[in-house]
Amino acid sequence: MTRAGRASDEHRCPSCRARILTQLVGRIAALNVTADLTPLSPAQQAELREPNRLIWCLVTTALGTHRLRWTGRDHPDTCPHQHVTEHRCPPTTLF
């Protein structure tokens, strides 16, 4: 069994084909997160942040894999990593 926050799966969304990362984030009460891999500017982060849509810190390990971290009150303002948000497929036209 893998530890929460360690196992991740980078793939494409079956609906919109966007690059996404699915991972358990946290140690005790882990959240199952599916995040877009498109980096966000600080202005985009402020625009997209909602009570039920969090911003995540995307850390690239020495092996080139990605890990998501919380961006809570203790997250540094000068963080050198990219930041991403929960994936939501764009609206589509059916007809």
Side-chain angles (χ1 to χ4, degrees):
M1 182 156 76
T2 60
R3 286 179 44 196
R6 300 290 181 203
S8 64
D9 181 24
E10 193 173 320
H11 55 281
R12 292 204 175 265
C13 173
S15 297
C16 68
R17 306 300 299 157
R19 289 180 51 231
I20 57 175
L21 175 71
T22 303
Q23 177 182 342
L24 285 172
V25 180
R27 293 194 177 121
I28 306 224
L31 293 176
N32 189 18
V33 177
T34 299
D36 277 317
L37 287 178
T38 304
L40 302 172
S41 68
Q44 290 172 317
Q45 292 176 44
E47 180 184 330
L48 294 173
R49 182 178 283 119
E50 298 172 2
N52 292 319
R53 190 174 192 191
L54 303 175
I55 304 297
W56 300 97
C57 181
L58 182 65
V59 177
T60 304
T61 67
L63 298 174
T65 59
H66 292 108
R67 283 187 43 215
L68 296 171
R69 289 188 186 164
W70 292 94
T71 56
R73 61 181 169 81
D74 296 331
H75 193 75
D77 293 333
T78 58
C79 176
H81 304 112
Q82 296 177 345
H83 292 86
V84 297
T85 190
E86 172 195 2
H87 174 69
R88 289 188 185 165
C89 291
T92 59
T93 305
L94 296 175
F95 303 100

